Amino acid sequence: MAARLRGTVMSLRLRWLGHATAVLDLGGVRLVTDPLLRRRAGLLQRRGGAPDPAHWRGADAALVSHLHHDHAEPGSLRLLGPVPVLAAPSSARWLVRQGLAGTGVRPGSWWTAPGSDVRVRTVPAEHGDRPMPHRPNVATGFVVRGGGVTVWFAGDTSATPELARVPELAGAGVDVALVPVGGWGPRLSGGHLDPVQAARVCALVGARVAVPVHWGTLHAPGGRHLPAGWMDRAGPAFAAACRRWAPGCDARVLEPGEATRVDTPR
């Protein structure tokens, strides 16, 4: 279990592990978003090795935005141990059937990490493309509040107007946005954000800091070779788009395994 710190923690430590997986350490609690901790997700392959277990070990809970294979990979979730796996109720029931501790978070309700001030709730996301016939197809984002910091994890979503409600639903301004900016191929299917759309969404929610995710990690067999360099473009393109469309947002482009710290605004 992540170390519990006395008093209010005045910062967030965020480590990106690739694709939509990030480790959030705040308020003495460790949360992992859409854990993908192995080298494969179905047919998709990870560029480079699996994440260092030292970076995700000791999680207190996982957040699962939807049940596509690259976001809800049962083998990776089992590596975390018997921790709550927070998801929309229908997704949580499916997770329970996989032998996991699926924990449904209903719209408007908060889940609180035991012994802490860290709270989690779902927020809207729109990701209806490529429905899966054998898994529920509800998609959701999350807001996390704790230690004076508010984090929005968008999951996979298009630029729906409902995203403007994120600060209202969070009950606070968005300090950090974990926002998807790409995919696992050079062409995005519907229900995703490209770098410019993601920057505009960060401006819409008033994010103070943004970390691009869902890029540069996964590819279909042989897919990373056509066209050359496609895996490396979305993150820097997002930072450039933020300078134009969200100039008040600090875009921090991380490498897989790299961490950053965000302090509580004074």
Side-chain angles (χ1 to χ4, degrees):
M1 179 173 290
R4 301 282 189 232
L5 303 180
R6 298 292 183 185
T8 301
V9 176
M10 300 305 291
S11 66
L12 160 75
R13 183 176 177 85
L14 185 158
R15 188 183 302 275
W16 183 49
L17 302 186
H19 205 54
T21 307
V23 178
L24 309 177
D25 289 307
L26 75 167
V29 172
R30 171 166 285 184
L31 304 174
V32 185
T33 67
D34 285 354
L36 181 58
L37 308 176
R38 306 197 298 174
R39 292 202 64 183
R40 291 181 178 271
L43 295 176
L44 301 177
Q45 301 174 12
R46 176 188 288 271
R47 178 167 64 170
D52 184 345
H55 291 163
W56 51 260
R57 189 177 289 127
D60 294 289
L63 314 182
V64 170
S65 63
H66 63 293
L67 298 183
H68 282 169
H69 292 289
D70 53 327
H71 294 261
E73 202 280 301
S76 293
L77 288 164
R78 293 187 185 106
L79 290 175
L80 295 176
V83 302
V85 182
L86 310 184
S90 61
S91 298
R93 290 190 289 271
W94 182 88
L95 291 162
V96 168
R97 292 196 293 272
Q98 312 312 306
L100 298 159
T103 302
V105 182
R106 296 185 179 280
S109 300
W110 291 86
W111 176 88
T112 302
S116 79
D117 73 340
V118 175
R119 300 188 299 156
V120 182
R121 67 162 291 171
T122 61
V123 293
E126 185 177 88
H127 189 59
D129 290 65
R130 297 185 176 180
M132 302 178 70
H134 56 293
R135 297 184 182 189
N137 286 286
V138 174
T140 186
F142 293 90
V143 289
V144 180
R145 295 191 63 184
V149 179
T150 300
V151 182
W152 171 46
F153 169 52
D156 273 2
T157 186
S158 61
T160 170
E162 283 287 290
L163 299 182
R165 299 184 59 217
V166 167
E168 170 197 344
L169 297 173
V174 175
D175 295 305
V176 182
L178 280 170
V179 60
V181 302
W184 46 262
R187 302 176 69 178
L188 283 177
S189 60
H192 293 93
L193 299 173
D194 64 26
V196 171
Q197 292 169 328
R200 289 174 169 170
V201 162
C202 287
L204 180 69
V205 303
R208 188 163 60 93
V209 175
V211 174
V213 301
H214 208 276
W215 70 283
T217 308
L218 294 179
H219 59 90
R224 62 178 171 178
H225 301 299
L226 287 173
W230 70 265
M231 293 187 74
D232 301 312
R233 294 173 183 161
F238 170 73
C242 279
R243 290 191 289 271
R244 177 174 181 184
W245 298 105
C249 181
D250 177 9
R252 302 186 185 180
V253 180
L254 305 179
E255 295 293 326
E258 188 177 3
T260 189
R261 172 176 167 155
V262 180
D263 292 326
T264 303
R266 302 299 180 189

